Amino acid sequence: RTRAEMPAQDEELCDLLDEGGRLVELTAPKALVTPGGRLERVEMWKMQLGKADSSGRMRPEIVPGAEFEAELDSLIVAIGQLPDLRVFKGEDIALNRSGFLEVDPATLETSLPGVYAGGDIIGGGPASIVKAAGDGRKIAEAILALGDHSTATTRVLDQSWPAFDGVDLLRRRARTEPRVAIAHLPAADRKGFEEVVLTLSPEDAADEAARCLDCDVMCSTCDGVCPNRAILTYRTTPGDLELPTFSVREGRLSSSGRASFRVDQGPQVAVLSDACNECGNCVTFCPTAGQPWRDKPRLYFHRGDFEDQGNNAFMLLRHGGLRGIQARFEDKLHELFDGDTLSYRSPYISLSLDPETLEVVEATTRAPDTPDQTFDPALLGAMITLLRSLTRSMPELPVIEADPGWLLVQAG
């Protein structure tokens, strides 16, 4: 392919052609020809696209009788990347099926105690600088948490969410600012080991940085592009909720410690499901390739629609003078009411928590034949966060007076 045939965004391939390289597509190596142990040429197969496989990808197939040879004296083999594990000096460290390091998803600690890893050496392998930087931050927070012996059950990450000019943020998001062109060494000068991609000037670097839309402060892009206004932005308090964990064995409930439910960002979004027609506009514009209409908390105001849901469904309620929330997870109903105590009920257990410290006041199983299971505190954390945040930041939301028949237990 020639330079003129290449898409402008394929900068690396365009540079290859500028430097005199050739791009030969649909070609696969067959054999190396090395008379006397010295590389002279490579035998090649000409390929064609065949039938699609189960993933929809068209598989390349050999074109019969279309072999050819390419003369060369040097060959660079680039068929993938694997981590160099010699740094561990023979230590037995866990790897995943792809040959990269297996790490704890929350802390990024490897199977070697006290050893953390991130970036290209974990998970699916080579990714982006942004991901590596994020992994580094997560590792630093995990290490810092090792020295946090505070007994407080709610750790506030920021006393106040960073102040920002919302009008200015929306104004910047309403226009497209092109990226700053990156300077390159002229193709004729690329004969040694000098850097080909040159650095930005201070002025250009400042202009490029100014293109940032501050999604870490507030994203809410899906809120702005929803044609039905079915997505809303509400405010939470960033921090950790230290919640109790329980296990049920042979009908008996026992405490198994505490777990953290974390909220990192102040502004959050939820979906008013009654107004959402699942058009997918939020998916198109989501900068993180998410599906907000499906992934974000879905609020229901119609009882029948709520009861038809299996997962990620929430309904704000009022009963006995108390505000509460019900949720459906894995086809099961859960409920929480906030009063003198936080009263939580699932199909299997009942909890009363101190509303300030989240310490357990009372915990019981709901039936003697409760199946063996481990209580997931993340479900309770999501319900506490939604109930309190929506009550505080969006008091105008409809709250349904609960029919007693809807409740796992009457509040009061």
Side-chain angles (χ1 to χ4, degrees):
R1 296 173 71 177
T2 67
R3 181 70 156 84
E5 295 173 320
M6 297 302 301
Q9 62 267 31
D10 290 338
E11 294 181 5
E12 292 84 1
L13 293 178
C14 290
D15 287 342
L16 168 71
L17 298 175
D18 286 343
E19 294 170 21
R22 285 195 305 136
L23 177 63
V24 183
E25 298 178 310
L26 286 174
T27 303
K30 177 182 178 183
L32 302 180
V33 180
T34 57
R38 184 178 181 83
L39 178 64
E40 286 190 354
R41 56 191 184 276
V42 177
E43 294 180 0
M44 300 285 193
W45 277 309
K46 191 66 179 175
M47 311 295 285
Q48 63 185 359
L49 294 179
K51 295 181 178 179
D53 60 16
S54 58
S55 69
R57 177 175 179 265
M58 298 175 71
R59 304 293 296 181
E61 299 174 348
I62 296 173
V63 178
E67 295 90 345
F68 66 97
E69 293 185 347
E71 294 186 359
L72 71 166
D73 54 18
S74 299
L75 178 68
I76 299 173
V77 180
I79 58 174
Q81 301 180 51
L82 285 176
D84 184 351
L85 302 178
R86 288 176 296 180
V87 66
F88 296 107
K89 299 179 180 180
E91 290 277 1
D92 186 17
I93 190 167
L95 305 178
N96 60 24
R97 294 177 60 184
S98 300
F100 298 95
L101 296 187
E102 189 75 58
V103 295
D104 183 293
T107 64
L108 302 189
E109 186 175 18
T110 69
S111 61
L112 298 178
V115 177
Y116 299 79
D120 291 355
I121 202 172
I122 70 171
S128 66
I129 293 176
V130 173
K131 177 184 179 298
D135 288 348
R137 180 173 180 174
K138 184 180 289 188
I139 290 170
E141 290 175 346
I143 293 173
L144 288 172
L146 296 176
D148 184 4
H149 303 296
S150 170
T151 57
T153 56
T154 302
R155 182 169 66 90
V156 176
L157 301 180
D158 297 293
Q159 293 300 320
S160 61
W161 191 247
F164 62 94
D165 185 338
V167 174
D168 176 67
L169 183 61
L170 293 176
R171 183 184 298 114
R172 288 190 286 121
R173 290 180 178 178
R175 55 182 292 186
T176 300
E177 190 70 33
R179 64 180 294 186
V180 175
I182 306 299
H184 288 70
L185 194 69
D189 297 336
R190 301 175 193 175
K191 299 176 181 179
F193 292 95
E194 292 83 3
E195 290 286 347
V196 172
V197 180
L198 305 181
T199 57
L200 295 173
S201 68
E203 295 77 17
D204 285 345
D207 288 343
E208 184 66 9
R211 297 174 63 239
C212 174
L213 299 182
D214 295 322
C215 293
D216 61 320
V217 175
M218 184 183 78
C219 182
S220 295
T221 299
C222 52
D223 183 341
V225 301
C226 178
N228 290 1
R229 309 303 299 160
I231 299 179
L232 57 86
T233 298
Y234 64 97
R235 287 186 171 271
T236 65
T237 300
D240 289 337
L241 299 179
E242 296 296 329
L243 299 170
T245 59
F246 291 92
S247 59
V248 179
R249 296 293 180 268
E250 298 181 353
R252 301 188 64 179
L253 187 66
S254 61
S255 174
S256 52
R258 300 185 75 83
S260 176
F261 179 83
R262 180 168 181 147
V263 177
D264 286 313
Q265 193 170 20
Q268 301 283 342
V269 297
V271 181
L272 302 177
S273 296
D274 299 64
C276 175
N277 61 4
E278 302 178 5
C279 68
N281 210 45
C282 57
V283 178
T284 301
F285 287 91
C286 181
T288 62
Q291 300 187 58
W293 70 268
R294 185 178 68 179
D295 301 336
K296 297 301 181 181
R298 294 177 61 85
L299 303 178
Y300 288 83
F301 302 106
H302 185 274
R303 189 65 189 181
D305 290 343
F306 171 75
E307 292 180 344
D308 286 340
Q309 305 308 306
N311 254 318
N312 191 29
F314 302 88
M315 191 171 193
L316 295 171
L317 300 172
R318 182 183 292 106
H319 186 75
L322 299 180
R323 287 183 65 128
I325 189 169
Q326 285 190 328
R328 292 191 64 80
F329 302 114
E330 298 182 352
D331 292 317
K332 299 292 191 298
L333 182 66
H334 301 245
E335 69 183 23
L336 176 75
F337 282 91
D338 196 355
D340 292 338
T341 62
L342 273 175
S343 299
Y344 167 77
R345 303 291 183 271
S346 79
Y348 308 117
I349 69 171
S350 297
L351 296 178
S352 291
L353 306 176
D354 184 290
E356 298 296 328
T357 66
L358 302 183
E359 294 289 345
V360 178
V361 177
E362 183 179 6
T364 59
T365 56
R366 289 183 50 80
D369 58 348
T370 296
D372 289 358
Q373 62 166 309
T374 300
F375 165 67
D376 184 358
L379 307 184
L380 175 58
M383 295 176 70
I384 293 174
T385 299
L386 273 173
L387 176 59
R388 291 184 167 178
S389 300
L390 292 173
T391 298
R392 181 177 62 251
S393 69
M394 304 204 77
E396 69 275 12
L397 282 178
V399 178
I400 311 302
E401 190 67 35
D403 185 307
W406 297 349
L407 305 178
L408 292 172
V409 63
Q410 289 196 6

